[in-house]
């Protein structure tokens, strides 16, 4: 019964990821990671007895502890990946802001010099 509930929950999660990807709420760049995660969750839910034997084999007597350990490691890896992405985006925003400021200054200089050069022209 517990295995059936775990399978249903992970299938629901997989369905949510597919829905968010199709409706463009989740970009393809991140969708692949979440689809693999959801598929791994479905596989883990199907193979609960095998996971229990593997946990005992590596020295963890209580299988949910193993699942929590794997989940925490995955979340930490995901946080590192998101932090790297956030750092890149911050650098890109900084560069874009600086370029915008330079362009705005040039535009103001051109606008200020335009009336002076227009006054010097002789009418036809």
């Amino acid at each position: 019964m517990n295995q059936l509930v775990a399978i249903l929950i992970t299938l629901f999660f997989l369905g949510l990821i597919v829905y968010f990807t199709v409706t463009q709420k989740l970009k393809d760049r991140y969708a692949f990671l979440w689809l693999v995660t959801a598929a791994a969750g479905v596989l883990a839910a199907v193979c609960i007895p095998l996971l229990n034997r593997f946990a005992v084999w590596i020295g963890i007597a209580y299988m949910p502890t193993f699942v929590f350990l794997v989940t925490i490691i995955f979340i930490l890896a995901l946080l590192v990946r998101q932090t790297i992405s956030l750092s890149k985006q911050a650098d890109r925003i900084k560069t874009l802001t600086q370029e915008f400021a330079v362009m705005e200054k040039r535009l103001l200089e051109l606008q200020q010099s335009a009336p002076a050069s227009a006054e010097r022209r002789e009418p036809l």
Side-chain angles (χ1 to χ4, degrees):
M1 181 65 178
N2 290 339
Q3 187 174 9
L4 180 63
V5 171
I7 292 170
L8 290 175
I9 289 172
T10 54
L11 285 174
F12 176 74
F13 181 69
L14 180 62
L16 275 176
I17 298 304
V18 170
Y19 170 76
F20 288 145
T21 304
V22 168
T23 59
Q24 298 296 319
K25 292 182 180 181
L26 183 62
K27 300 293 180 194
D28 294 338
R29 179 179 178 183
Y30 303 108
F32 180 73
L33 172 70
W34 288 112
L35 285 173
V36 170
T37 302
V42 171
L43 184 65
V46 169
C47 300
I48 286 178
L50 186 62
L51 281 175
N52 198 10
R53 278 188 250 138
F54 181 72
V56 170
W57 182 72
I58 62 172
I60 300 173
Y62 189 56
M63 194 264 301
T65 304
F66 173 69
V67 173
F68 284 129
L69 175 66
V70 170
T71 303
I72 288 170
I73 291 170
F74 173 76
I75 289 171
L76 287 174
L78 185 63
L79 282 171
V80 168
R81 183 177 186 276
Q82 292 297 330
T83 303
I84 290 169
S85 178
L86 184 64
S87 297
K88 286 180 183 178
Q89 290 296 328
D91 288 341
R92 292 172 80 188
I93 289 171
K94 178 182 169 187
T95 303
L96 184 62
T97 304
Q98 290 171 344
E99 289 174 359
F100 178 75
V102 169
M103 296 289 281
E104 189 175 36
K105 182 180 178 198
R106 287 182 185 167
L107 179 62
L108 285 174
E109 289 172 354
L110 284 173
Q111 286 174 343
Q112 290 172 352
S113 67
S117 63
E119 291 173 3
R120 287 185 232 151
R121 287 190 206 154
E122 294 181 13
L124 295 173

